[in-house]
Structure formats: C-alpha cells, structure tokens
Short mmCIF file of all heavy atoms in Angstrom, two decimals:
data_model
loop_
_atom_site.label_atom_id
_atom_site.label_comp_id
_atom_site.label_asym_id
_atom_site.label_seq_id
_atom_site.Cartn_x
_atom_site.Cartn_y
_atom_site.Cartn_z
N MET A 1 -10.72 53.94 -10.34
CA MET A 1 -11.28 53.10 -11.53
C MET A 1 -11.52 51.71 -10.92
O MET A 1 -10.78 51.27 -9.99
CB MET A 1 -10.32 53.03 -12.63
CG MET A 1 -10.99 52.50 -13.82
SD MET A 1 -9.94 52.00 -15.28
CE MET A 1 -8.45 51.49 -14.61
N ASP A 2 -12.45 51.00 -11.37
CA ASP A 2 -12.73 49.59 -10.95
C ASP A 2 -11.73 48.65 -11.60
O ASP A 2 -11.92 48.30 -12.83
CB ASP A 2 -14.23 49.26 -11.31
CG ASP A 2 -14.63 48.04 -10.68
OD1 ASP A 2 -13.76 47.10 -10.55
OD2 ASP A 2 -15.80 47.86 -10.26
N GLU A 3 -10.76 48.27 -10.84
CA GLU A 3 -9.68 47.46 -11.42
C GLU A 3 -10.32 46.04 -11.88
O GLU A 3 -9.76 45.45 -12.88
CB GLU A 3 -8.56 47.16 -10.36
CG GLU A 3 -7.93 48.42 -9.91
CD GLU A 3 -7.06 49.04 -11.05
OE1 GLU A 3 -6.64 48.30 -11.97
OE2 GLU A 3 -6.81 50.23 -10.95
N LYS A 4 -11.16 45.60 -11.21
CA LYS A 4 -11.83 44.31 -11.66
C LYS A 4 -12.46 44.32 -13.00
O LYS A 4 -12.28 43.52 -13.79
CB LYS A 4 -12.86 43.84 -10.54
CG LYS A 4 -12.76 42.38 -10.16
CD LYS A 4 -13.60 41.97 -9.00
CE LYS A 4 -14.47 40.76 -9.40
NZ LYS A 4 -15.87 41.09 -9.26
N LEU A 5 -13.26 45.40 -13.24
CA LEU A 5 -13.79 45.58 -14.57
C LEU A 5 -12.71 45.83 -15.60
O LEU A 5 -12.80 45.28 -16.68
CB LEU A 5 -14.70 46.81 -14.59
CG LEU A 5 -16.05 46.65 -13.70
CD1 LEU A 5 -16.90 47.92 -13.84
CD2 LEU A 5 -16.80 45.41 -14.15
N ALA A 6 -11.74 46.58 -15.27
CA ALA A 6 -10.62 46.80 -16.21
C ALA A 6 -9.88 45.47 -16.58
O ALA A 6 -9.47 45.35 -17.80
CB ALA A 6 -9.60 47.85 -15.63
N LYS A 7 -9.86 44.59 -15.66
CA LYS A 7 -9.13 43.32 -15.93
C LYS A 7 -9.95 42.49 -16.99
O LYS A 7 -9.45 41.67 -17.68
CB LYS A 7 -8.97 42.50 -14.72
CG LYS A 7 -7.65 42.89 -14.00
CD LYS A 7 -7.19 41.70 -13.08
CE LYS A 7 -6.12 42.16 -12.19
NZ LYS A 7 -6.62 42.62 -10.81
N GLU A 8 -11.25 42.69 -16.99
CA GLU A 8 -12.11 41.90 -17.87
C GLU A 8 -12.27 42.57 -19.17
O GLU A 8 -12.78 41.98 -20.20
CB GLU A 8 -13.45 41.74 -17.26
CG GLU A 8 -13.57 40.88 -15.99
CD GLU A 8 -14.97 40.83 -15.44
OE1 GLU A 8 -15.34 41.76 -14.73
OE2 GLU A 8 -15.57 39.81 -15.71
N CYS A 9 -11.78 43.75 -19.28
CA CYS A 9 -11.98 44.57 -20.55
C CYS A 9 -11.24 43.84 -21.78
O CYS A 9 -10.08 43.44 -21.61
CB CYS A 9 -11.40 46.04 -20.26
SG CYS A 9 -11.39 47.02 -21.77
N LEU A 10 -12.03 43.75 -22.82
CA LEU A 10 -11.45 43.11 -24.08
C LEU A 10 -10.83 44.14 -24.97
O LEU A 10 -10.33 43.73 -26.13
CB LEU A 10 -12.58 42.43 -24.78
CG LEU A 10 -13.21 41.27 -24.08
CD1 LEU A 10 -14.24 40.59 -25.02
CD2 LEU A 10 -12.28 40.25 -23.62
N CYS A 11 -10.73 45.38 -24.68
CA CYS A 11 -10.24 46.34 -25.53
C CYS A 11 -8.76 45.96 -26.12
O CYS A 11 -8.63 46.11 -27.36
CB CYS A 11 -10.09 47.74 -24.85
SG CYS A 11 -11.65 48.61 -24.57
N PRO A 12 -7.88 45.46 -25.34
CA PRO A 12 -6.63 45.13 -25.89
C PRO A 12 -6.66 44.06 -26.99
O PRO A 12 -5.68 43.92 -27.71
CB PRO A 12 -5.77 44.56 -24.64
CG PRO A 12 -6.42 45.22 -23.49
CD PRO A 12 -7.85 45.34 -23.85
N MET A 13 -7.69 43.35 -27.19
CA MET A 13 -7.91 42.32 -28.21
C MET A 13 -8.67 42.80 -29.32
O MET A 13 -8.93 42.11 -30.27
CB MET A 13 -8.51 41.14 -27.60
CG MET A 13 -7.64 40.32 -26.62
SD MET A 13 -8.43 38.85 -26.08
CE MET A 13 -8.84 39.24 -24.47
N CYS A 14 -9.08 43.98 -29.27
CA CYS A 14 -9.91 44.64 -30.29
C CYS A 14 -9.07 45.25 -31.47
O CYS A 14 -7.95 45.75 -31.26
CB CYS A 14 -10.74 45.74 -29.57
SG CYS A 14 -11.33 46.99 -30.71
N PRO A 15 -9.63 45.01 -32.77
CA PRO A 15 -8.83 45.56 -33.92
C PRO A 15 -8.63 47.05 -33.84
O PRO A 15 -7.68 47.53 -34.50
CB PRO A 15 -9.64 45.08 -35.09
CG PRO A 15 -10.96 44.59 -34.54
CD PRO A 15 -10.81 44.36 -33.04
N SER A 16 -9.38 47.76 -33.20
CA SER A 16 -9.30 49.25 -33.09
C SER A 16 -8.26 49.69 -32.14
O SER A 16 -7.77 50.80 -32.12
CB SER A 16 -10.60 50.00 -32.85
OG SER A 16 -11.55 49.57 -33.79
N TYR A 17 -7.99 48.79 -31.19
CA TYR A 17 -7.17 49.13 -30.09
C TYR A 17 -5.76 49.54 -30.50
O TYR A 17 -5.14 48.99 -31.33
CB TYR A 17 -7.09 48.01 -29.00
CG TYR A 17 -6.28 48.37 -27.81
CD1 TYR A 17 -6.76 49.13 -26.85
CD2 TYR A 17 -5.06 47.71 -27.62
CE1 TYR A 17 -6.09 49.47 -25.73
CE2 TYR A 17 -4.27 48.05 -26.51
CZ TYR A 17 -4.77 48.88 -25.56
OH TYR A 17 -4.03 49.13 -24.46
N VAL A 18 -5.23 50.68 -29.85
CA VAL A 18 -3.80 51.12 -29.99
C VAL A 18 -3.34 51.19 -28.61
O VAL A 18 -3.82 51.84 -27.71
CB VAL A 18 -3.82 52.45 -30.68
CG1 VAL A 18 -2.36 52.97 -30.77
CG2 VAL A 18 -4.44 52.44 -32.06
N LYS A 19 -2.17 50.47 -28.36
CA LYS A 19 -1.50 50.49 -27.08
C LYS A 19 -1.13 51.87 -26.65
O LYS A 19 -0.59 52.68 -27.46
CB LYS A 19 -0.31 49.60 -27.07
CG LYS A 19 0.13 49.13 -25.77
CD LYS A 19 1.20 48.01 -25.90
CE LYS A 19 2.02 47.67 -24.63
NZ LYS A 19 1.67 48.26 -23.37
N CYS A 20 -1.49 52.27 -25.45
CA CYS A 20 -1.38 53.71 -25.04
C CYS A 20 -1.20 53.71 -23.53
O CYS A 20 -1.65 52.84 -22.81
CB CYS A 20 -2.74 54.43 -25.37
SG CYS A 20 -2.64 56.15 -25.43
N ASP A 21 -0.44 54.74 -23.05
CA ASP A 21 -0.21 54.95 -21.64
C ASP A 21 -1.46 55.64 -21.06
O ASP A 21 -1.35 56.79 -20.79
CB ASP A 21 1.10 55.63 -21.48
CG ASP A 21 1.41 55.86 -19.98
OD1 ASP A 21 0.94 55.03 -19.23
OD2 ASP A 21 2.15 56.76 -19.61
N GLU A 22 -2.47 54.81 -20.75
CA GLU A 22 -3.74 55.39 -20.30
C GLU A 22 -4.61 54.27 -19.78
O GLU A 22 -4.41 53.05 -20.24
CB GLU A 22 -4.51 56.20 -21.38
CG GLU A 22 -4.94 55.29 -22.49
CD GLU A 22 -5.56 56.03 -23.69
OE1 GLU A 22 -5.54 57.26 -23.66
OE2 GLU A 22 -6.20 55.40 -24.46
N PRO A 23 -5.59 54.53 -18.90
CA PRO A 23 -6.44 53.44 -18.47
C PRO A 23 -7.33 52.93 -19.57
O PRO A 23 -7.74 53.71 -20.47
CB PRO A 23 -7.25 54.01 -17.35
CG PRO A 23 -7.00 55.51 -17.33
CD PRO A 23 -5.86 55.78 -18.25
N ILE A 24 -7.57 51.54 -19.60
CA ILE A 24 -8.59 51.04 -20.63
C ILE A 24 -9.97 50.98 -19.94
O ILE A 24 -10.23 51.71 -19.08
CB ILE A 24 -8.11 49.66 -21.11
CG1 ILE A 24 -7.83 48.62 -20.02
CG2 ILE A 24 -6.78 49.89 -21.94
CD1 ILE A 24 -7.65 47.25 -20.50
N ALA A 25 -10.80 50.12 -20.40
CA ALA A 25 -12.17 49.98 -19.95
C ALA A 25 -12.76 51.39 -20.13
O ALA A 25 -13.31 52.06 -19.25
CB ALA A 25 -12.26 49.60 -18.51
N TYR A 26 -12.76 51.84 -21.43
CA TYR A 26 -13.23 53.16 -21.76
C TYR A 26 -14.76 53.42 -21.49
O TYR A 26 -15.15 54.51 -21.43
CB TYR A 26 -12.99 53.41 -23.26
CG TYR A 26 -11.58 53.33 -23.59
CD1 TYR A 26 -11.03 52.17 -24.20
CD2 TYR A 26 -10.63 54.31 -23.27
CE1 TYR A 26 -9.67 52.00 -24.44
CE2 TYR A 26 -9.22 54.18 -23.56
CZ TYR A 26 -8.80 53.06 -24.13
OH TYR A 26 -7.46 52.98 -24.37
N CYS A 27 -15.48 52.32 -21.30
CA CYS A 27 -16.86 52.46 -20.96
C CYS A 27 -17.18 52.90 -19.60
O CYS A 27 -18.25 53.43 -19.32
CB CYS A 27 -17.56 51.10 -21.28
SG CYS A 27 -16.93 49.84 -20.18
N ILE A 28 -16.18 52.85 -18.67
CA ILE A 28 -16.41 53.30 -17.26
C ILE A 28 -16.36 54.74 -17.34
O ILE A 28 -15.42 55.39 -17.84
CB ILE A 28 -15.32 52.65 -16.41
CG1 ILE A 28 -15.31 51.10 -16.43
CG2 ILE A 28 -15.46 53.10 -14.98
CD1 ILE A 28 -14.21 50.38 -15.76
N PRO A 29 -17.45 55.39 -16.63
CA PRO A 29 -17.55 56.87 -16.77
C PRO A 29 -16.28 57.62 -16.36
O PRO A 29 -15.96 58.64 -17.04
CB PRO A 29 -18.68 57.14 -15.82
CG PRO A 29 -19.49 55.95 -15.78
CD PRO A 29 -18.59 54.72 -16.02
N GLU A 30 -15.56 57.16 -15.38
CA GLU A 30 -14.40 57.94 -15.10
C GLU A 30 -13.21 57.79 -15.97
O GLU A 30 -12.18 58.49 -15.84
CB GLU A 30 -13.96 57.70 -13.63
CG GLU A 30 -13.75 56.31 -13.10
CD GLU A 30 -15.01 55.66 -12.62
OE1 GLU A 30 -16.15 55.94 -13.02
OE2 GLU A 30 -14.91 54.92 -11.61
N VAL A 31 -13.32 56.88 -16.90
CA VAL A 31 -12.27 56.69 -17.86
C VAL A 31 -12.67 57.41 -19.15
O VAL A 31 -13.83 57.26 -19.62
CB VAL A 31 -12.08 55.13 -18.27
CG1 VAL A 31 -11.04 55.05 -19.38
CG2 VAL A 31 -11.59 54.35 -17.11
N HIS A 32 -11.94 58.23 -19.69
CA HIS A 32 -12.33 59.05 -20.82
C HIS A 32 -11.98 58.39 -22.09
O HIS A 32 -11.41 57.40 -22.04
CB HIS A 32 -11.64 60.47 -20.61
CG HIS A 32 -12.07 61.14 -19.36
ND1 HIS A 32 -13.31 61.72 -19.18
CD2 HIS A 32 -11.45 61.36 -18.19
CE1 HIS A 32 -13.45 62.23 -17.99
NE2 HIS A 32 -12.30 61.97 -17.35
N THR A 33 -12.24 59.04 -23.18
CA THR A 33 -11.97 58.48 -24.49
C THR A 33 -10.45 58.40 -24.59
O THR A 33 -9.68 59.02 -23.91
CB THR A 33 -12.43 59.28 -25.66
OG1 THR A 33 -12.07 60.64 -25.47
CG2 THR A 33 -14.05 59.29 -25.70
N SER A 34 -9.94 57.62 -25.59
CA SER A 34 -8.55 57.35 -25.79
C SER A 34 -7.92 58.46 -26.50
O SER A 34 -8.44 59.20 -27.42
CB SER A 34 -8.35 56.02 -26.52
OG SER A 34 -6.99 55.87 -26.88
N LYS A 35 -6.63 58.81 -26.03
CA LYS A 35 -5.90 59.78 -26.78
C LYS A 35 -5.06 59.16 -28.02
O LYS A 35 -4.49 59.87 -28.77
CB LYS A 35 -4.96 60.65 -25.87
CG LYS A 35 -4.05 59.84 -25.00
CD LYS A 35 -3.22 60.93 -24.08
CE LYS A 35 -2.34 60.44 -23.02
NZ LYS A 35 -1.85 59.16 -22.83
N CYS A 36 -5.07 57.82 -28.06
CA CYS A 36 -4.29 57.12 -29.09
C CYS A 36 -5.14 56.46 -30.11
O CYS A 36 -4.78 56.39 -31.29
CB CYS A 36 -3.41 56.07 -28.45
SG CYS A 36 -2.25 56.73 -27.17
N ILE A 37 -6.24 56.00 -29.73
CA ILE A 37 -7.19 55.32 -30.72
C ILE A 37 -7.87 56.32 -31.64
O ILE A 37 -8.45 57.24 -31.08
CB ILE A 37 -8.18 54.43 -29.98
CG1 ILE A 37 -7.41 53.38 -29.18
CG2 ILE A 37 -9.15 53.70 -31.01
CD1 ILE A 37 -8.36 52.51 -28.18
N LYS A 38 -7.86 56.19 -32.92
CA LYS A 38 -8.33 57.18 -33.78
C LYS A 38 -9.28 56.68 -34.87
O LYS A 38 -10.05 57.35 -35.40
CB LYS A 38 -7.21 57.91 -34.63
CG LYS A 38 -6.07 58.62 -33.70
CD LYS A 38 -6.63 59.83 -33.03
CE LYS A 38 -5.64 60.45 -32.18
NZ LYS A 38 -6.25 61.27 -31.18
N TRP A 39 -9.25 55.36 -35.07
CA TRP A 39 -10.00 54.77 -36.10
C TRP A 39 -10.88 53.65 -35.67
O TRP A 39 -10.50 52.78 -34.82
CB TRP A 39 -9.14 54.23 -37.22
CG TRP A 39 -8.28 55.33 -37.77
CD1 TRP A 39 -6.90 55.43 -37.48
CD2 TRP A 39 -8.57 56.41 -38.61
NE1 TRP A 39 -6.49 56.55 -38.18
CE2 TRP A 39 -7.36 57.15 -38.82
CE3 TRP A 39 -9.74 56.71 -39.24
CZ2 TRP A 39 -7.41 58.37 -39.61
CZ3 TRP A 39 -9.76 57.90 -40.04
CH2 TRP A 39 -8.56 58.64 -40.23
N GLU A 40 -12.19 53.58 -36.24
CA GLU A 40 -13.07 52.43 -35.90
C GLU A 40 -12.83 51.31 -36.76
O GLU A 40 -13.13 51.36 -37.97
CB GLU A 40 -14.55 52.97 -36.15
CG GLU A 40 -15.00 54.06 -35.14
CD GLU A 40 -16.35 54.45 -35.33
OE1 GLU A 40 -17.12 53.75 -36.05
OE2 GLU A 40 -16.75 55.57 -34.61
N SER A 41 -12.15 50.29 -36.27
CA SER A 41 -11.85 49.11 -37.14
C SER A 41 -12.50 47.85 -36.51
O SER A 41 -12.07 46.78 -36.66
CB SER A 41 -10.34 48.81 -37.17
OG SER A 41 -9.72 49.99 -37.57
N GLY A 42 -13.60 48.13 -35.79
CA GLY A 42 -14.32 46.93 -35.07
C GLY A 42 -14.21 47.22 -33.63
O GLY A 42 -13.25 47.82 -33.15
N CYS A 43 -15.30 46.79 -32.89
CA CYS A 43 -15.35 47.00 -31.43
C CYS A 43 -15.68 45.71 -30.76
O CYS A 43 -16.71 45.05 -31.10
CB CYS A 43 -16.33 48.10 -31.11
SG CYS A 43 -16.48 48.46 -29.42
N ALA A 44 -14.98 45.34 -29.72
CA ALA A 44 -15.23 44.06 -28.99
C ALA A 44 -16.19 44.26 -27.88
O ALA A 44 -16.56 43.37 -27.19
CB ALA A 44 -13.91 43.52 -28.50
N CYS A 45 -16.66 45.54 -27.58
CA CYS A 45 -17.53 45.75 -26.49
C CYS A 45 -18.74 44.79 -26.39
O CYS A 45 -18.94 44.30 -25.25
CB CYS A 45 -17.98 47.22 -26.47
SG CYS A 45 -16.70 48.36 -26.05
N PRO A 46 -19.37 44.58 -27.45
CA PRO A 46 -20.69 43.77 -27.30
C PRO A 46 -20.40 42.32 -26.81
O PRO A 46 -21.30 41.64 -26.27
CB PRO A 46 -21.34 43.72 -28.66
CG PRO A 46 -20.82 44.97 -29.29
CD PRO A 46 -19.43 45.17 -28.80
N VAL A 47 -19.14 41.80 -26.98
CA VAL A 47 -18.89 40.41 -26.46
C VAL A 47 -18.00 40.43 -25.16
O VAL A 47 -17.63 39.37 -24.64
CB VAL A 47 -18.10 39.60 -27.58
CG1 VAL A 47 -19.04 39.34 -28.75
CG2 VAL A 47 -16.79 40.22 -27.96
N CYS A 48 -17.96 41.66 -24.54
CA CYS A 48 -17.11 41.79 -23.37
C CYS A 48 -18.08 41.52 -22.17
O CYS A 48 -19.18 41.90 -22.19
CB CYS A 48 -16.54 43.19 -23.27
SG CYS A 48 -15.82 43.64 -21.77
N PRO A 49 -17.57 40.79 -21.09
CA PRO A 49 -18.38 40.53 -19.94
C PRO A 49 -18.83 41.87 -19.21
O PRO A 49 -19.96 41.91 -18.58
CB PRO A 49 -17.47 39.74 -19.04
CG PRO A 49 -16.09 39.71 -19.60
CD PRO A 49 -16.17 40.14 -21.00
N VAL A 50 -18.09 42.88 -19.39
CA VAL A 50 -18.43 44.14 -18.69
C VAL A 50 -19.66 44.78 -19.36
O VAL A 50 -20.46 45.48 -18.73
CB VAL A 50 -17.26 45.11 -18.73
CG1 VAL A 50 -17.60 46.41 -18.08
CG2 VAL A 50 -16.05 44.52 -18.04
N PHE A 51 -19.81 44.45 -20.67
CA PHE A 51 -20.88 45.06 -21.40
C PHE A 51 -22.23 44.78 -20.76
O PHE A 51 -23.10 45.68 -20.60
CB PHE A 51 -20.83 44.56 -22.85
CG PHE A 51 -21.64 45.26 -23.85
CD1 PHE A 51 -21.34 46.48 -24.37
CD2 PHE A 51 -22.99 44.77 -24.23
CE1 PHE A 51 -22.15 47.15 -25.42
CE2 PHE A 51 -23.69 45.41 -25.11
CZ PHE A 51 -23.29 46.59 -25.72
N ASP A 52 -22.39 43.42 -20.49
CA ASP A 52 -23.73 43.03 -19.78
C ASP A 52 -23.77 43.55 -18.44
O ASP A 52 -24.81 43.98 -18.00
CB ASP A 52 -23.78 41.49 -19.82
CG ASP A 52 -24.16 40.98 -21.22
OD1 ASP A 52 -24.70 41.75 -21.96
OD2 ASP A 52 -23.79 39.85 -21.56
N LYS A 53 -22.66 43.37 -17.70
CA LYS A 53 -22.56 43.85 -16.32
C LYS A 53 -23.05 45.27 -16.10
O LYS A 53 -23.83 45.64 -15.23
CB LYS A 53 -21.21 43.71 -15.70
CG LYS A 53 -21.01 42.47 -14.91
CD LYS A 53 -19.70 42.31 -14.36
CE LYS A 53 -19.26 40.80 -14.47
NZ LYS A 53 -17.81 40.59 -14.34
N LEU A 54 -22.61 46.20 -16.94
CA LEU A 54 -22.95 47.63 -16.82
C LEU A 54 -24.14 48.01 -17.68
O LEU A 54 -24.46 49.11 -17.81
CB LEU A 54 -21.71 48.48 -17.24
CG LEU A 54 -20.48 48.28 -16.37
CD1 LEU A 54 -19.44 49.35 -16.68
CD2 LEU A 54 -20.73 48.36 -14.86
N LYS A 55 -24.81 47.00 -18.34
CA LYS A 55 -26.04 47.20 -19.14
C LYS A 55 -25.68 48.24 -20.20
O LYS A 55 -26.45 49.17 -20.37
CB LYS A 55 -27.23 47.56 -18.32
CG LYS A 55 -27.58 46.57 -17.31
CD LYS A 55 -28.97 46.79 -16.71
CE LYS A 55 -29.52 45.78 -15.76
NZ LYS A 55 -28.73 44.65 -15.42
N LEU A 56 -24.60 48.04 -20.91
CA LEU A 56 -24.23 48.99 -21.92
C LEU A 56 -24.95 48.72 -23.19
O LEU A 56 -25.49 47.77 -23.46
CB LEU A 56 -22.77 48.94 -22.20
CG LEU A 56 -21.76 49.10 -21.05
CD1 LEU A 56 -20.30 48.80 -21.34
CD2 LEU A 56 -21.94 50.52 -20.38
N ASP A 57 -25.04 49.78 -24.13
CA ASP A 57 -25.80 49.63 -25.33
C ASP A 57 -25.21 50.31 -26.55
O ASP A 57 -25.71 50.41 -27.60
CB ASP A 57 -27.27 50.06 -25.18
CG ASP A 57 -27.34 51.59 -24.82
OD1 ASP A 57 -26.26 52.24 -24.61
OD2 ASP A 57 -28.45 52.02 -24.57
N ARG A 58 -23.88 50.72 -26.28
CA ARG A 58 -23.21 51.39 -27.48
C ARG A 58 -21.87 50.67 -27.80
O ARG A 58 -21.44 49.76 -27.08
CB ARG A 58 -22.84 52.82 -27.09
CG ARG A 58 -24.16 53.68 -26.88
CD ARG A 58 -23.73 55.16 -26.90
NE ARG A 58 -23.01 55.57 -25.84
CZ ARG A 58 -21.69 56.01 -25.81
NH1 ARG A 58 -21.05 56.10 -26.94
NH2 ARG A 58 -21.04 56.26 -24.76
N GLU A 59 -21.10 51.13 -28.71
CA GLU A 59 -19.83 50.62 -29.05
C GLU A 59 -18.89 51.80 -29.13
O GLU A 59 -19.31 52.93 -29.01
CB GLU A 59 -19.74 49.90 -30.41
CG GLU A 59 -20.69 48.67 -30.46
CD GLU A 59 -20.60 47.97 -31.69
OE1 GLU A 59 -19.90 48.42 -32.68
OE2 GLU A 59 -21.23 46.86 -31.78
N TYR A 60 -17.56 51.53 -29.22
CA TYR A 60 -16.56 52.58 -29.48
C TYR A 60 -16.48 53.65 -28.35
O TYR A 60 -16.46 54.82 -28.51
CB TYR A 60 -16.70 53.27 -30.80
CG TYR A 60 -16.56 52.33 -31.97
CD1 TYR A 60 -17.58 51.82 -32.68
CD2 TYR A 60 -15.29 51.89 -32.36
CE1 TYR A 60 -17.46 50.98 -33.72
CE2 TYR A 60 -15.02 51.03 -33.34
CZ TYR A 60 -16.18 50.63 -34.09
OH TYR A 60 -16.02 49.72 -35.14
N TYR A 61 -16.60 53.14 -27.09
CA TYR A 61 -16.40 53.97 -26.03
C TYR A 61 -15.07 54.72 -25.92
O TYR A 61 -14.88 55.69 -25.28
CB TYR A 61 -16.71 53.25 -24.61
CG TYR A 61 -18.12 52.77 -24.47
CD1 TYR A 61 -18.57 51.58 -25.00
CD2 TYR A 61 -19.06 53.61 -23.94
CE1 TYR A 61 -19.85 51.13 -24.87
CE2 TYR A 61 -20.34 53.25 -23.78
CZ TYR A 61 -20.74 51.98 -24.26
OH TYR A 61 -22.06 51.60 -24.20
N CYS A 62 -14.11 54.07 -26.58
CA CYS A 62 -12.71 54.75 -26.67
C CYS A 62 -12.78 55.92 -27.53
O CYS A 62 -11.87 56.89 -27.34
CB CYS A 62 -11.71 53.70 -27.24
SG CYS A 62 -12.22 53.06 -28.89
N LEU A 63 -13.73 56.09 -28.40
CA LEU A 63 -13.79 57.26 -29.28
C LEU A 63 -14.87 58.26 -29.03
O LEU A 63 -14.67 59.44 -29.36
CB LEU A 63 -13.97 56.80 -30.76
CG LEU A 63 -12.78 55.98 -31.29
CD1 LEU A 63 -13.10 55.31 -32.67
CD2 LEU A 63 -11.57 56.94 -31.63
N ARG A 64 -15.94 57.76 -28.48
CA ARG A 64 -17.07 58.64 -28.26
C ARG A 64 -18.00 58.19 -27.12
O ARG A 64 -17.82 57.10 -26.64
CB ARG A 64 -17.90 58.75 -29.55
CG ARG A 64 -18.21 57.40 -30.27
CD ARG A 64 -18.88 57.70 -31.58
NE ARG A 64 -18.75 56.62 -32.53
CZ ARG A 64 -19.59 55.53 -32.65
NH1 ARG A 64 -20.65 55.40 -31.81
NH2 ARG A 64 -19.38 54.65 -33.66
S1 SF4 B 101 -14.03 50.58 -26.86
FE1 SF4 B 101 -14.52 49.20 -28.39
S2 SF4 B 101 -13.39 49.91 -30.21
FE2 SF4 B 101 -12.57 50.96 -28.43
S3 SF4 B 101 -10.78 49.71 -27.92
FE3 SF4 B 101 -12.52 49.01 -26.67
S4 SF4 B 101 -13.41 47.27 -27.82
FE4 SF4 B 101 -12.12 48.38 -29.19
S1 SF4 B 102 -17.32 47.06 -22.73
FE1 SF4 B 102 -15.71 47.69 -24.12
S2 SF4 B 102 -14.63 49.43 -23.17
FE2 SF4 B 102 -15.95 48.38 -21.62
S3 SF4 B 102 -14.62 46.98 -20.59
FE3 SF4 B 102 -15.53 45.90 -22.29
S4 SF4 B 102 -14.21 45.99 -24.01
FE4 SF4 B 102 -13.56 47.55 -22.57
#
C-alpha cells in the first residue's frame, strides 16, 4: 500500500468512519472496502488531497 497516500487520507475525520483494524485509504485499489464501516453518514473524499491526485470521481470507497 502507498503509505504516503494513506497518511493524507481524511477517512479518520469523516463522519462515516468507524475505527477498525484494517488499512485506510479505501480508494486505493489494493485496499478493499471496510469490514467495520456500514453506514453512509457523509464522505470526506472530495476534499481529500488524494482525491485529486488519483483523479477520483466517486465517494464512499469504504463501502463500494
Ligand atoms: S471513503 Fe469516504 S465515507 Fe468512507 S471513511 Fe473515507 S471519507 Fe468516509
Ligand atoms: S479519497 Fe477518500 S478514501 Fe481516498 S485517501 Fe482520501 S479520504 Fe481516504
């Protein structure tokens, strides 16, 4: 996993985030969806620096 991208990940500050023993930066292909996050309560991806860097266009990578 790209540790540098994971450090910039805003997931821990997101209202949907649930602390879990798993890698964050769910948008990175090798990181899968979360086994702990279950509900969409807002997503911080669009304001995350990684979002622009990887040219992302979706939200809720932790769920889908
Ligand atoms: S992918 Fe989006 S909704 Fe899921 S934890 Fe990260 S910022 Fe929150
Ligand atoms: S775009 Fe979303 S999942 Fe990806 S690093 Fe940023 S906050 Fe985390």
Side-chain angles (χ1 to χ4, degrees):
M1 195 193 30
D2 191 323
E3 296 293 336
K4 224 172 127 238
L5 292 182
K7 273 203 193 94
E8 293 179 279
C9 176
L10 297 184
C11 289
M13 288 183 255
C14 157
S16 302
Y17 182 73
V18 176
K19 199 168 166 8
C20 196
D21 182 20
E22 66 184 12
I24 55 168
Y26 302 101
C27 60
I28 298 171
E30 54 267 40
V31 178
H32 299 288
T33 53
S34 173
K35 55 183 172 14
C36 301
I37 301 169
K38 302 286 179 205
W39 303 103
E40 296 184 7
S41 307
C43 179
C45 290
V47 294
C48 170
V50 178
F51 192 82
D52 285 334
K53 260 180 220 163
L54 298 186
K55 300 193 180 356
L56 303 176
D57 58 4
R58 297 193 293 114
E59 296 183 358
Y60 297 104
Y61 291 91
C62 58
L63 290 167
R64 43 185 159 91

